[in-house]
Amino acid sequence: MKIKELMKKPIVIEKDITISDAAKVMTKYSINSLIVEKNGDIIGIITHHDLIKYFGENKRVFEVMTKEVFALKDDDKIQKAVELSKKRGIGIFPVIDSRGKIVGVLDSKDLLKVWDTDDFLIE
């Protein structure tokens, strides 16, 4: 199974918004992470864990986001996500197309949807 079959629509924000505004976006879309971009390039990810850690502080997204981001390609197999998740402890992946454009997001909940299927087996 390919990443594009499991990925969801990404919600992308700019790095200069406050973490309070990021929390509002997450709440509005019932999600737990946002991809941060600048000029169409992925520069970070902010999660609900980041928001909890800095709750009540007047910070901007770029101050608390994870800057080391591992993106997957939409035509990668899900096994690549599983391997990276296990090796690096990553639970959220931006997904890019062949041109490097952000086209989706994949998280550990998505992988759990196919846990008991033949598509999940590592080849």
Side-chain angles (χ1 to χ4, degrees):
M1 178 179 273
K2 303 257 179 159
I3 297 293
K4 61 184 159 194
E5 297 173 61
L6 279 179
M7 70 182 190
K8 298 179 293 252
K9 181 181 181 214
I11 305 297
V12 179
I13 60 170
E14 294 291 325
K15 68 180 182 77
D16 293 322
I17 71 168
T18 65
I19 60 173
S20 175
D21 286 339
K24 290 174 188 172
V25 173
M26 285 186 204
T27 301
K28 177 180 178 180
Y29 292 101
S30 298
I31 56 175
N32 61 10
S33 66
L34 298 164
I35 298 171
V36 185
E37 75 167 1
K38 181 178 180 181
N39 301 323
D41 293 325
I42 300 167
I43 61 168
I45 291 179
I46 186 165
T47 68
H48 67 284
H49 294 294
D50 299 321
L51 299 179
I52 291 167
K53 184 176 179 180
Y54 295 99
F55 182 81
E57 294 186 33
N58 188 21
K59 293 193 176 283
R60 302 244 173 231
V61 166
F62 70 88
E63 296 176 278
V64 302
M65 70 185 186
T66 299
K67 295 175 178 99
E68 186 177 13
V69 179
F70 292 88
L72 297 169
K73 293 182 181 168
D74 59 353
D75 62 350
D76 284 339
K77 292 186 176 184
I78 62 167
Q79 289 85 353
K80 183 171 183 179
V82 172
E83 290 166 3
L84 272 173
S85 187
K86 287 169 60 175
K87 183 178 180 180
R88 299 204 176 255
I90 300 170
I92 302 164
F93 298 95
V95 182
I96 57 175
D97 64 14
S98 59
R99 300 169 302 178
K101 182 179 181 240
I102 303 166
V103 293
V105 65
L106 183 80
D107 64 31
S108 54
K109 290 179 188 176
D110 300 318
L111 295 175
L112 289 175
K113 292 176 188 174
V114 294
W115 178 273
D116 262 349
T117 69
D118 290 338
D119 293 325
F120 192 76
L121 300 174
I122 304 287
E123 297 173 346

